[in-house]
Amino acid sequence: TMLGRVLCTVLFVGAFPSPAEASQGHISVVLLGATGDLAKKYLWQGLFQLYMDQVSSGHSFTFHGAALAALEPGQRLMFDVLKKLSCPPDEAPDRCAVLKDQFLKLSQYHQLKTAENYTALSREIETLLRQEGLKEAGRIFYFSVPPFAYTEIARHINSSCRPPAGAWLRVVLEKPFGHDLQSAQQLAAELAGFFREEEMYRVDHYLGKQAVAHILPFRDQNRQFLDPIWNQHHVERVEVVLKETVDAKGRTSFYEQYGVIRDVLQNHLTEALMFLIMELPANVSSAHEVVQHKLQAFQSLWGLERSSAVLGQYQAYDSQVQEELQEAQGYVSTTPTFAGVLIRSDSLRWEGVPFLLTSGKALDERVGYARVLFKNRAYCTQSSTLRDAGHSQCKPKQIIFHFGHGALNTPAVLVSRNLFQPVMPKDGWKEAEARPDLHVFGQPLSDFYMYIPVKERDAYSVLISHIYHGRKDFFITTENLLASWAFWTPLLDSTSRQPPRLYPGGVENQHLLDFEMVSGGVAFTLAEPAELLHPGGQMPSDFRAIQSKFRQSPLVSAWAEDLISQLASDMEEAAVRSVARSGQFHLALSGGSSPMVLFQRLARHHYGFPWKHTHVWLVDERCVPLTDGESNFLGLHRHLLQRVRVPYFNIHPMPVHLNRRLCVEEDGGAELYAKDIAALVANASFDLVLLGVGADGHTASLFPRSENGLEGAPTVVLTESPVKPHQRMSLSLPLINRARQVFVLVLGKGKHDITTLLSRVGHEPRKWPISGVSPSSGQLVWYVDYEALLG
């Protein structure tokens, strides 16, 4: 074969080992999507760079470009790209010309469409190696194809194109990996049917950018300087930013499905942020340790809500979508092309420090960076105009990982001179020459120690080299991927119908996209310009006027997020009134999923809540240890108690776990709780009880036809639930009805049927326990969102 002849002749000096050394084996690289954009722009160049770097390593190579196109046209397209490959400036031109010639001869095109095509390719590789007497080291399959094609290709590779035993398989996957948690889980499950985790290399090309890849090594090598200051007491904020001047023209079919958050924030910017905020592993080059620490960092992040983000869209986007996707005139897209997101962590290290992630198209400059800005703790007595120009402690202190482009136009690491002189590895980074004309963030470059790579490498060349070396720490594992999607999906869901702010694009944006942090979230600094208001379509506020009574009691109704915000405010108001009246506030809370969002809202936005004077009681509890994931108290603790300052003695979990057993009648847990209430709560009358409603009409842990608690004494009872865990402890209906105020929260489409039913039935607690809630001398208010109310 042609390739065989070339493999024999590639023996010229300094480029190939003598046959004696050539025992490392043969590597076949298969590039799927060989004539696509990514392949043209980056991947072939990266593979050529790999060949130049490794030609003397003892491995022999062949490169197989593959696509759906037939042999003739495919071959022509592919070789047009290969002929344009460039030689890096630090490579001797003669050697490079020879190597390029060899590379072209070692490359061939295949049409890969059917299972037979894959079988034929595998046979061809095996025949070639048999003829040349080479043993197979491994095969690399690079998927540069749309994700909908992944599963079928994976099935073919697994069934007909795996290398023989003893050789490895490495499969390289390009984003997007799904467009939300569910689709990512599905894709991951499908691929797991064909490949083992260690065979998959998921590319996030930001991990190949030199400045991003150096964040962890930098933190590791500068531990002695960073340990005391890498925390909430010293760091003011962390920013990860990617600004682009280009728009989405020509890519709207992709962009319309994904938008800026899925395209850039969920992957590139999140990864850079993780490198900055994760706890440093003992060994930063252990892929396993790095992933474990990243996953812990994800666990520490607060959930995102609608107010965590500001979204924009450049004005020409709609018409580009209409043109490219043949949408009707008047089509309105809500896909964001700009996003600013505030992320917070509740880890001890980072609590209270804002992390800002920002990216957008059609902005004023092209630049990417991650920046850690430190608090300024100095006071400088002499006025700045009368001081030596030395490195004053009053100047800003920051560390910047500059990804590229921008004024510097190179990857770089910058450290303020008034912080410390960093340790940088001499073989990879060098100090940059002075450039007095340049400023970064309003400061002259002379205020920084600045380092640039000794040899600038394209991200894809770096990653292709890591694939060759099997360096898994530069790729995204399945766990890492799903943790990121789990974090971002709630924001994507809650903003999916939100109209973005329109902006003209480029320099004309001026202050239009400036945003600031306000009460736990972010908001644009400038009010919405009048002419850019909602271009049609109903907005939540259009639905406000819903009858204000439900079962003869006041009803508050809105979209879920607005409803929760109203309920939280009403609870704070009730608490403040109660404390003014009696010096304390007795609050009984229910478990379940609906209140979790409310608890988070209270913890993040209600700084005036009189927690110091609040007693927190439980309405009901499952008979499991308090540390069990099913425990109502654990949920309450996670989402509220550990984030607010309620005195320890004012927290009253239900005593379901006594004498090392759960809810045993003779242990008297229910009586104990009833006695505590009688002793502390005047009249056994709670100031506020928060209830939910089950689809069967149960409330608290009082179920239809329950033996206990629906009538009789105002006390605490043990009850049976139809679903696991069956045993429960609950306040009885008569005790609930002694409260001064009862708020009932009902959220979601799943509650529409029971809500409709309750609007029609009378007082029948044996059938629907919630219908028996009617405080004897207090007030009942229903908080029902539109989905539950209207379906």
Side-chain angles (χ1 to χ4, degrees):
T1 65
M2 170 69 193
L3 284 179
R5 286 204 300 281
V6 174
L7 275 170
C8 287
T9 54
V10 181
L11 287 168
F12 78 102
V13 185
F16 216 67
S18 65
E21 295 168 72
S23 57
Q24 297 273 337
H26 182 80
I27 296 176
S28 313
V29 181
V30 183
L31 173 53
L32 299 138
T35 53
D37 264 358
L38 188 66
K40 279 186 207 160
K41 264 180 151 158
Y42 300 110
L43 302 180
W44 280 115
Q45 189 66 44
L47 292 173
F48 178 41
Q49 184 68 52
L50 175 72
Y51 181 64
M52 287 189 285
D53 293 345
Q54 301 302 333
V55 70
S56 316
S57 69
H59 281 122
S60 59
F61 291 90
T62 45
F63 298 91
H64 306 265
L68 296 173
L71 193 60
E72 288 292 311
Q75 207 162 340
R76 208 172 39 249
L77 279 169
M78 180 175 120
F79 279 95
D80 284 347
V81 177
L82 295 188
K83 284 172 195 147
K84 295 194 187 106
L85 290 173
S86 60
C87 292
D90 53 2
E91 189 63 75
D94 301 352
R95 177 175 189 261
C96 184
V98 175
L99 287 176
K100 181 171 166 181
D101 184 50
Q102 302 289 6
F103 182 75
L104 264 68
K105 286 180 180 152
L106 292 171
S107 301
Q108 73 186 143
Y109 178 82
H110 306 260
Q111 181 185 32
L112 285 187
K113 235 180 178 167
T114 63
E116 293 77 57
N117 296 153
Y118 284 85
T119 312
L121 171 63
S122 194
R123 269 207 299 272
E124 205 172 306
I125 293 172
E126 284 156 22
T127 309
L128 172 72
L129 298 188
R130 214 175 28 254
Q131 286 169 351
E132 301 308 319
L134 290 166
K135 79 173 201 308
E136 185 157 12
R139 296 180 189 180
I140 294 172
F141 285 87
Y142 200 119
F143 286 43
S144 179
V145 296
F148 65 75
Y150 279 12
T151 311
E152 194 187 344
I153 295 173
R155 183 179 294 114
H156 290 320
I157 293 173
N158 183 47
S159 62
S160 347
C161 218
R162 273 186 172 274
W168 46 254
L169 170 67
R170 291 178 192 154
V171 178
V172 188
L173 305 167
E174 273 288 345
K175 78 175 184 74
F177 314 113
H179 56 96
D180 58 11
L181 179 57
Q182 197 186 347
S183 56
Q185 281 168 328
Q186 189 184 339
L187 184 58
E190 285 167 5
L191 290 172
F194 305 115
F195 305 126
R196 295 197 303 277
E197 180 68 35
E198 67 270 20
E199 294 176 325
M200 290 187 276
Y201 289 68
R202 274 194 197 79
V203 169
D204 181 326
H205 76 268
Y206 261 58
L207 302 194
K209 285 187 181 282
Q210 288 164 295
V212 178
H214 196 61
I215 296 175
L216 277 185
F218 177 90
R219 288 181 57 194
D220 185 45
Q221 290 151 14
N222 290 282
R223 284 182 198 245
Q224 78 266 35
F225 306 120
L226 293 174
D227 269 354
I229 59 171
W230 206 251
N231 56 55
Q232 53 165 330
H233 302 297
H234 293 267
V235 174
E236 183 176 312
R237 64 187 333 165
V238 176
E239 300 169 349
V240 187
V241 175
L242 171 64
K243 292 167 64 178
E244 298 185 274
T245 49
V246 297
D247 61 15
K249 196 173 170 60
R251 286 186 70 219
T252 58
S253 64
F254 165 81
Y255 217 79
E256 199 39 16
Q257 290 176 52
Y258 289 91
V260 66
I261 296 179
R262 292 180 172 93
D263 188 31
V264 177
L265 277 79
Q266 175 272 328
N267 36 61
H268 308 326
L269 302 194
T270 302
E271 287 301 311
L273 177 68
M274 287 299 145
F275 287 151
L276 290 169
I277 68 169
M278 65 191 249
E279 291 301 308
L280 256 191
N283 174 5
V284 293
S285 44
S286 152
H288 175 72
E289 279 188 54
V290 169
V291 166
Q292 291 319 111
H293 283 73
K294 251 194 224 175
L295 294 174
Q296 285 162 13
F298 273 117
Q299 288 304 308
S300 78
L301 300 179
W302 287 17
L304 294 172
E305 41 192 48
R306 198 171 69 194
S307 58
S308 308
V310 289
L311 304 176
Q313 183 192 83
Y314 63 84
Q315 271 162 327
Y317 181 75
D318 260 351
S319 57
Q320 289 172 353
V321 171
Q322 284 169 20
E323 189 181 324
E324 292 176 26
L325 304 185
Q326 272 87 56
E327 292 291 356
Q329 211 51 48
Y331 171 81
V332 175
S333 164
T334 56
T335 304
T337 61
F338 168 85
V341 180
L342 171 64
I343 297 176
R344 291 185 178 276
S345 160
D346 60 15
S347 71
L348 283 174
R349 183 181 298 281
W350 296 116
E351 193 175 11
V353 179
F355 307 142
L356 292 170
L357 266 53
T358 307
S359 182
K361 293 199 169 293
L363 300 180
D364 58 314
E365 60 173 343
R366 182 182 185 188
V367 67
Y369 59 84
R371 168 182 185 229
V372 180
L373 182 66
F374 292 87
K375 293 177 179 172
N376 205 324
R377 302 180 148 250
Y379 173 76
C380 299
T381 309
Q382 180 95 318
S383 85
S384 55
T385 45
L386 302 174
R387 309 162 57 111
D388 299 339
H391 302 298
S392 148
Q393 284 302 313
C394 281
K395 282 185 177 169
K397 299 179 161 87
Q398 51 194 330
I399 297 175
I400 302 158
F401 297 91
H402 192 272
F403 307 155
H405 304 293
L408 302 180
N409 204 23
T410 167
V413 177
L414 295 91
V415 178
S416 295
R417 287 181 184 267
N418 55 6
L419 265 175
F420 58 86
Q421 181 168 6
V423 176
M424 293 292 279
K426 294 276 185 290
D427 54 346
W429 296 80
K430 59 182 184 190
E431 205 155 348
E433 287 101 62
R435 296 177 60 186
D437 53 320
L438 280 188
H439 281 66
V440 190
F441 299 111
Q443 287 183 270
L445 270 190
S446 57
D447 282 359
F448 297 93
Y449 294 108
M450 174 172 158
Y451 300 84
I452 58 174
V454 171
K455 183 176 174 183
E456 206 177 318
R457 295 286 300 266
D458 158 71
Y460 279 99
S461 300
V462 171
L463 291 175
I464 286 170
S465 164
H466 290 323
I467 295 160
Y468 166 78
H469 288 289
R471 288 284 307 269
K472 288 283 300 198
D473 46 332
F474 285 88
F475 299 88
I476 307 294
T477 63
T478 304
E479 274 187 302
N480 182 155
L481 174 74
L482 297 180
S484 178
W485 275 122
F487 174 68
W488 285 102
T489 299
L491 178 69
L492 291 164
D493 289 346
S494 68
T495 56
S496 63
R497 296 202 300 279
Q498 188 176 322
R501 164 170 294 196
L502 299 179
Y503 59 96
V507 186
E508 289 172 51
N509 295 335
Q510 292 296 324
H511 301 297
L512 204 55
L513 297 177
D514 296 356
F515 59 93
E516 54 193 75
M517 294 174 262
V518 282
S519 67
V522 281
F524 283 121
T525 308
L526 286 183
E528 183 81 63
E531 75 276 12
L532 298 185
L533 281 172
H534 321 300
Q538 292 172 306
M539 289 306 296
S541 50
D542 304 345
F543 292 105
R544 273 292 142 71
I546 296 279
Q547 68 182 62
S548 51
K549 281 270 192 256
F550 183 79
R551 294 182 57 82
Q552 284 82 57
S553 292
L555 167 72
V556 180
S557 194
W559 290 111
E561 204 161 321
D562 299 329
L563 185 72
I564 291 290
S565 138
Q566 183 61 52
L567 173 54
S569 300
D570 293 350
M571 286 176 70
E572 180 175 346
E573 202 178 308
V576 170
R577 269 204 318 273
S578 173
V579 170
R581 187 181 60 241
S582 66
Q584 46 198 6
F585 178 54
H586 286 279
L587 170 65
L589 296 171
S590 295
S593 51
S594 301
M596 294 310 159
V597 202
L598 171 70
F599 297 159
Q600 289 174 352
R601 175 94 206 167
L602 286 168
R604 290 182 195 184
H605 298 278
H606 289 269
Y607 298 107
F609 202 104
W611 293 115
K612 214 161 72 181
H613 304 287
T614 298
H615 282 259
V616 177
W617 301 85
L618 273 91
V619 166
D620 65 323
E621 182 57 281
R622 295 155 174 190
C623 294
V624 295
L626 297 186
T627 51
D628 186 296
E630 294 272 2
S631 158
N632 287 344
F633 181 76
L634 184 68
L636 177 64
H637 179 265
R638 269 200 190 133
H639 297 285
L640 179 68
L641 297 178
Q642 65 179 8
R643 298 188 172 173
V644 296
R645 296 190 179 165
V646 180
Y648 175 80
F649 304 104
N650 291 10
I651 297 173
H652 308 282
M654 282 187 157
V656 289
H657 200 180
L658 297 170
N659 302 326
R660 312 225 307 259
R661 350 186 252 186
L662 293 163
C663 293
V664 174
E665 197 93 42
E666 56 264 32
D667 290 338
E671 291 78 28
L672 273 175
Y673 208 56
K675 280 184 184 147
D676 275 354
I677 293 169
L680 293 169
V681 183
N683 260 347
S685 163
F686 289 106
D687 295 303
L688 175 59
V689 175
L690 177 74
L691 297 176
V693 181
D696 59 355
H698 84 263
T699 190
S701 277
L702 304 169
F703 295 91
R705 288 171 294 287
S706 178
E707 300 298 308
N708 305 332
L710 292 178
E711 52 217 4
T715 184
V716 182
V717 292
L718 292 176
T719 65
E720 286 283 319
S721 156
V723 297
K724 285 187 167 169
H726 296 300
Q727 285 189 296
R728 308 287 173 96
M729 187 180 286
S730 179
L731 305 184
S732 71
L733 203 49
L735 182 54
I736 289 169
N737 282 334
R738 292 182 79 148
R740 285 172 174 271
Q741 276 189 305
V742 178
F743 290 171
V744 183
L745 174 62
V746 191
L747 293 180
K749 278 202 173 69
K751 300 290 171 71
H752 177 58
D753 292 349
I754 187 68
T755 305
T756 310
L757 183 71
L758 289 172
S759 66
R760 303 186 184 136
V761 303
H763 176 91
E764 296 189 60
R766 304 273 315 140
K767 279 193 188 164
W768 302 287
I770 186 72
S771 72
V773 175
S774 57
S776 43
S777 54
Q779 182 200 28
L780 169 63
V781 185
W782 292 83
Y783 292 82
V784 187
D785 78 339
Y786 291 142
E787 291 198 327
L789 200 62
L790 309 172

